[in-house]
Amino acid sequence: IELNQLDKAAEQFRQSISNDPYFPGSYLGLAEVYRLQQQQDKLDKLYHSALERLPESAELYYSYALYQVRKQQYTPALASFKKAYQLMPDNSQYLYAYLLSMDGTGQSRQALNTLKMLFSRFKGNQQLLELGLYLAQKNQDRQSYNWFMQNR
């Protein structure tokens, strides 16, 4: 992508935000442009203003969490993944990312227990099943491993 194309895209997203500051897609688009342009300061400010304006946007929290992971800010990312999942509890991808983030911050036992509590809502989800089996093995929890095998 050429630099002037990114500049044009950024201007279009800024105009879209100006026209409708409550549409999260415009912020997500502008965030992607800033990421591609490696404009970290603008990206930080954008996420903070977007989340202040749209505190109920699971999509923004999820995107912000991914950004935090890229910056190796794992503990803040965990909080953002958790918020995204809380705002959209039927989204299995948000749950998966939240649980992986828990595991990555040394909370693998808690991640395993959380997944066991919520698994029935996502029965048949292969990604969550594999995560449950992984967490059970990591925690050397044969009972949980068998539980996931029986409840898949």
Side-chain angles (χ1 to χ4, degrees), residues 108-123:
S108 62
R109 170 58 66 181
Q110 186 178 353
L112 176 62
N113 292 337
T114 300
L115 181 54
K116 283 178 71 175
M117 280 187 340
L118 299 171
F119 192 72
S120 65
R121 292 177 43 205
F122 299 97
K123 199 162 184 144

Side-chain angles (χ1 to χ4, degrees), residues 17-18 28 40-41 46 49 57 75 77 86-87 91 100-101 111-112 117 124 126-127 132 137 144 146 148:
I17 290 168
S18 178
L28 294 170
Q40 303 306 317
D41 290 344
L46 176 67
S49 66
S57 174
T75 300
Q86 288 172 332
L87 290 168
N91 187 309
L100 271 183
S101 188
L112 176 62
M117 280 187 340
Q126 187 67 28
Q127 187 178 38
Q137 284 181 322
S144 290
N146 290 336
F148 278 106

